[in-house]
Amino acid sequence: MLAQGGGGTHQNRSERDTFAVMYAERLAQLWAVESGLCFGRLDLAEEKPLYIGRLGLSDDDQARMLIDWRAPVAQPFYRATPRTPMGVTRRRHLQTRGRRVIGVDDDLLDFDRLTDADRATLNGEAALLASLGEKRTGRMRDIVATIQAEQDRIIRADLGGVLVVQGGPGTGKTVVALHRAAYLLYTHRERLARRGVLIIGPNLTFLRYIEQVLPSLGETDVLLSTIAEMYPGVRARARESAEAAAIKGAVRMGDVLARALQEWQRMPRQAIDINLGRYTLRLDQGTTEAARSRALRSRRPHNQARAVFVRHILNVLSKQAAKQLGRGMLDEDDMADLREDLRTEPAVKSALNRLWPYLTPQRLLTGLFASHERMGRAGLSAAESRALYREAPRSGAPAWTEADVPLLDEAAELLGDIDPAVVRAAALQAEEDLAAARRAEEDERSSELAYAREVLELTGMSEIVDAERFAARHRDDGLDLTTAERAAADRTWAYGHIIVDEAQELSAMAWRMLMRRSPNRSMTVVGDIAQTGSAAGAASWAEVLDPYARGRWREESLTVNYRTPVELMTVAADVLALVGPSLKAPESVRETGVRPWARQISGPREIGGVVTGEIVPDGRLVVIVPASRAEELGAAVTSTVPGAVAGPGAGALEAPVAVLTVAEAKGLEFDAVIVAEPGEILAESPRGAGDLYVALTRATRRLGIVHTGELPAVLSRCERVPAG
């Protein structure tokens, strides 16, 4: 149905394509939400029951059959209580498998208003506790059927400004943020669809863990990314020390890069002679300094300011050339021709490129970090220079780390884009032919875009449909990029809303990068200051947000722990006191009757047997290890436990047993957790107590400790298990 070489007028094709895309998007939504499409019913005192689901549905007569969970009329499903029933007598939770109802749970809100028939059909335990008891599958599930009142308040909070969601482990911060994204897209569809929603997670494993939540809620066009992926064309996979990452994350690196750029703009003290055969031109220090001053006064980024610099130099050189050629007085057209002749001279181009080169962010950073002298002149200390030094990467080797990405983005702001016309002029003749073909294609696209704008204006849809995307559907190249795809390819894209998870881990430079992508400061920031593990991370939300949104951010707290049982949280709370004596752990809603245990082992060879005894049938177990021992302990587990995997990635989510570091496990949850060598985790970094707190709060059922040395005193509440 889509126009791929089809005939007809632009209007015929546009109408056909519009309907095709509309139905395709709706079909994708319906397939994504089919599992558990209807999950609840509200029995109202004096009205017909309302069925609540993931999407709104109507019958052929437009009578409402299913209410979208985000609609205002659905709020009582999440907020009604026996004290404030909001007109609801009974809230029913429906559990389905495929298209069959397999379970019913009722919450009574107004018993006196129930009919005898209603009272005869009451069912079930609390739906929330039932869902918490389910085994983990390696993917985060939505909580649309069991959203609690404090969560619902945050999900439906106003769009404007920065909303900080502060909450301890297990309080549902992440899933609340994802449901908030779905709610905002439903409520502010017209405003957000064009600019899109960006969700930032701590690592790729985490993104894989949450990737099914939004599609299950009917939202498929949201960009999920990590900081490491935020610079188009760069794959940040190299590793570096925590010390180097902390230095790069400091806000002063913006000034360091600005000074590093100045190194490329310094003029030589000696004159430069340019031999053109028939005559020789000279650029003395006064000329080059004057050109530099004029370029800097233009306040343009480096690559755009180059045009000012080059224009001044060519004016001087053309006057010298005219004088040496003995042409006398030349009119402006003759001088323009002479300047253009000089511009194309290889010797002149070489001199200009030495004096004021075009730079890419990659070249600026590579040159800086490969030179102790340049780093020193840019303002870094000798110790910092040693920590950051690296040789230029070999071809094919990982070149960039996650901490480099915000620096590349900062450098791109300082440098600006290189003029595409200059890039084409520097290409080989064959590439020039290709550029000419591309220019012709651009002219054709300009015509199509003008037509699209005219059609949209005439139909009154200009505020609803993006003219560029509308025009793209008529091309034969098959490209119909979603908002998320276009945003991912454009470094300068400004998003309608940004959600940042594990936000306490972001460095000051990472925040600078994200704020460029949120000029309207519409953000949801999710995290827990007590869990900050990165040396470059946040000490307080005010420290992070006041420089960008003073007076425009507000904080909400999640206080109930839905993940971690009371027995596990009691042990974790002792560790939290090491992080900060005034910090308070969230209250757990359930008990399991199973105490955390600790067992001393003689060495890594015993750990496999311990893990085998703790495997959860049809569930997930993780062994959390110190970063310095990850390879050793990972090998010890995978060599003895069938199906176990070590390291992050999709395999860690699917396997019955995974071995991860604290950083790799952050944001995830498992049925059972074994923490290996907690003393080493404590001692591994200045924020070791926070890391151990994170490790202890990943489990939904069972927690164990294995150690070769003395058990840290802070874990004394664990039940000691004798060596076996």
Side-chain angles (χ1 to χ4, degrees):
M1 188 172 182
L2 292 173
Q4 295 290 317
T9 65
H10 273 305
Q11 181 175 348
N12 296 146
R13 295 167 66 189
S14 74
E15 290 176 354
R16 182 172 59 217
D17 290 357
T18 298
F19 280 110
V21 171
M22 180 180 68
Y23 290 131
E25 290 176 350
R26 182 60 172 173
L27 188 60
Q29 277 188 330
L30 294 174
W31 277 115
V33 304
E34 185 181 20
S35 177
L37 175 60
C38 176
F39 55 78
R41 190 181 88 177
L42 285 176
D43 291 352
L44 306 175
E46 299 177 358
E47 300 178 40
K48 291 182 179 180
L50 297 178
Y51 286 90
I52 311 299
R54 299 170 187 275
L55 284 180
L57 293 176
S58 302
D59 62 18
D60 292 341
D61 297 324
Q62 298 305 305
R64 183 63 68 181
M65 300 172 61
L66 192 63
I67 303 296
D68 192 300
W69 68 276
R70 297 164 289 190
V73 72
Q75 287 192 36
F77 190 79
Y78 304 108
R79 298 194 180 185
T81 65
R83 177 174 293 182
T84 311
M86 302 175 71
V88 179
T89 59
R90 174 174 57 182
R91 174 172 45 219
R92 169 161 286 185
H93 300 268
L94 305 175
Q95 301 167 33
T96 60
R97 180 176 297 142
R99 300 191 178 188
R100 291 190 306 114
V101 176
I102 61 172
V104 175
D105 293 309
D106 286 332
D107 297 331
L108 297 184
L109 303 178
D110 194 341
F111 187 82
D112 293 335
R113 287 180 175 265
L114 288 178
T115 67
D116 291 339
D118 289 336
R119 296 181 190 188
T121 59
L122 293 176
N123 283 278
E125 62 175 320
L128 172 64
L129 295 180
S131 69
L132 294 178
E134 294 179 357
K135 292 178 181 177
R136 270 44 204 167
T137 64
R139 293 290 187 274
M140 177 177 279
R141 293 179 293 237
D142 64 67
I143 60 168
V144 65
T146 57
I147 293 171
Q148 301 302 291
E150 71 168 0
Q151 297 172 330
D152 188 67
R153 184 184 68 252
I154 293 170
I155 289 170
R156 298 176 191 268
D158 291 341
L159 173 65
V162 180
L163 173 64
V164 176
V165 183
Q166 164 69 38
T171 54
K173 301 182 299 295
T174 298
V175 74
V176 165
L178 294 173
H179 284 68
R180 175 163 168 76
Y183 171 77
L184 292 177
L185 282 164
Y186 173 85
T187 309
H188 305 280
R189 178 77 61 189
E190 186 173 331
R191 181 173 174 182
L192 294 181
R194 180 173 297 183
R195 301 313 307 172
V197 173
L198 168 67
I199 297 178
I200 293 290
N203 53 58
L204 292 174
T205 305
F206 176 85
L207 294 185
R208 186 69 181 272
Y209 177 60
I210 69 172
E211 66 183 358
Q212 295 176 359
V213 174
L214 282 168
S216 75
L217 299 174
E219 300 299 341
T220 57
D221 194 14
V222 174
L223 178 62
L224 276 65
S225 181
T226 66
I227 291 296
E229 299 175 298
M230 285 302 294
Y231 193 90
V234 167
R235 293 178 61 83
R237 299 292 183 264
R239 296 182 177 273
E240 64 185 344
S241 68
E243 179 188 6
I247 295 169
K248 291 178 180 179
V251 71
R252 61 185 282 260
M253 284 301 294
D255 294 330
V256 169
L257 293 180
R259 286 191 289 268
L261 176 58
Q262 291 172 4
E263 286 286 306
W264 292 88
Q265 298 170 342
R266 284 200 168 88
M267 297 298 112
R269 295 184 178 180
Q270 295 79 23
I272 298 175
D273 290 331
I274 303 174
N275 188 347
L276 298 179
R278 292 177 296 165
Y279 54 90
T280 298
L281 305 178
R282 166 162 287 204
L283 291 174
D284 58 28
Q285 185 180 5
T287 298
T288 56
E289 286 291 348
R292 175 181 179 272
S293 296
R294 181 166 292 184
L296 294 178
R297 286 199 305 272
S298 73
R299 298 188 178 277
R300 299 178 185 177
H302 172 87
N303 289 329
Q304 272 80 60
R306 186 182 191 272
V308 179
F309 179 88
V310 167
R311 185 163 56 248
H312 183 90
I313 294 293
L314 290 177
N315 283 337
V316 172
L317 292 180
S318 61
K319 291 175 182 177
Q320 288 185 27
K323 185 174 182 180
Q324 292 190 37
L325 291 171
R327 292 188 179 179
M329 297 295 294
L330 297 178
D331 61 27
E332 185 56 37
D333 289 341
D334 292 333
M335 291 298 293
D337 291 340
L338 184 53
R339 283 194 298 270
E340 190 57 34
D341 289 341
L342 290 174
R343 185 194 298 272
T344 59
E345 285 285 351
V348 174
K349 289 195 292 186
S350 176
L352 291 173
N353 289 335
R354 290 199 311 272
L355 291 170
W356 195 287
Y358 279 116
L359 291 174
T360 64
Q362 291 89 333
R363 184 180 178 188
L364 180 63
L365 262 65
T366 298
L368 175 64
F369 294 145
S371 169
H372 290 292
E373 292 76 17
R374 280 183 175 169
M375 284 191 280
R377 290 193 295 269
L380 295 170
S381 68
E384 291 170 330
S385 176
R386 287 192 296 272
L388 298 184
Y389 178 81
R390 66 188 184 206
E391 296 180 355
R394 297 187 302 275
S395 177
W400 305 107
T401 69
E402 180 175 324
D404 287 328
V405 170
L407 301 187
L408 289 168
D409 197 72
E410 185 80 18
E413 290 291 308
L414 294 170
L415 295 173
D417 294 330
I418 298 175
D419 186 349
V422 173
V423 175
R424 287 194 296 269
L428 297 174
Q429 186 62 46
E431 292 175 330
E432 291 178 349
D433 294 340
L434 179 60
R438 286 175 177 167
R439 284 195 295 272
E441 183 181 0
E442 289 169 1
D443 291 341
E444 181 180 351
R445 293 190 177 191
S446 296
S447 175
E448 291 174 346
L449 185 59
Y451 174 80
R453 289 193 178 115
E454 182 180 351
V455 170
L456 293 175
E457 288 291 340
L458 289 173
T459 58
M461 297 181 66
S462 59
E463 296 300 318
I464 300 174
V465 180
D466 186 334
E468 185 173 359
R469 185 176 179 184
F470 182 80
R473 294 175 184 157
H474 303 297
R475 300 173 192 147
D476 293 332
D477 54 16
L479 294 178
D480 186 20
L481 299 181
T482 66
T483 300
E485 290 168 337
R486 287 186 289 136
D490 186 352
R491 188 193 68 82
T492 63
W493 190 273
Y495 291 88
H497 192 77
I498 296 178
I499 292 175
V500 188
D501 205 343
E502 299 293 344
Q504 75 278 356
E505 302 297 336
L506 268 60
S507 70
M509 290 302 293
W511 281 110
R512 279 171 70 104
M513 178 176 67
L514 286 184
M515 290 299 176
R516 292 189 192 103
R517 289 154 174 77
S518 182
N520 61 354
R521 300 295 187 261
S522 179
M523 306 177 77
T524 301
V525 173
V526 179
D528 181 13
I529 294 296
Q531 295 187 62
T532 303
S534 169
S540 73
W541 296 122
E543 171 192 282
V544 167
L545 297 172
D546 277 350
Y548 306 101
R550 185 183 296 275
R552 294 189 59 198
W553 68 274
R554 61 203 188 278
E555 182 175 337
E556 293 276 2
S557 295
L558 291 171
T559 59
V560 180
N561 188 333
Y562 300 100
R563 175 205 302 148
T564 316
V566 170
E567 296 85 355
L568 278 61
M569 207 62 212
T570 300
V571 173
D574 291 339
V575 178
L576 181 61
L578 295 181
V579 180
S582 63
L583 296 174
K584 182 180 178 181
E587 286 190 38
S588 297
V589 299
R590 62 195 178 99
E591 301 179 14
T592 62
V594 181
R595 285 180 58 192
W597 54 266
R599 176 175 172 178
Q600 189 168 19
I601 59 176
S602 60
R605 65 182 181 278
E606 292 186 31
I607 196 171
V610 177
V611 171
T612 300
E614 290 294 313
I615 290 177
V616 180
D618 300 322
R620 300 291 183 269
L621 180 149
V622 68
V623 183
I624 301 181
V625 300
S628 59
R629 303 279 300 279
E631 185 174 349
E632 175 192 7
L633 295 176
V637 173
T638 56
S639 64
T640 56
V641 180
V645 300
L653 299 176
E654 304 292 348
V657 176
V659 182
L660 300 173
T661 65
V662 176
E664 293 164 350
K666 186 164 285 190
L668 308 180
E669 61 180 32
F670 304 86
D671 296 286
V673 171
I674 295 176
V675 179
E677 304 294 3
E680 294 184 30
I681 293 176
L682 278 171
E684 205 164 40
S685 77
R687 297 187 173 180
D691 288 343
L692 183 56
Y693 179 62
V694 171
L696 296 174
T697 54
R698 299 303 96 199
T700 65
R701 297 184 178 195
R702 292 177 57 85
L703 171 66
I705 309 288
V706 293
H707 56 102
T708 53
E710 289 296 318
L711 183 70
V714 73
L715 299 177
S716 61
R717 293 181 190 260
C718 292
E719 180 181 358
R720 300 296 183 97
V721 177

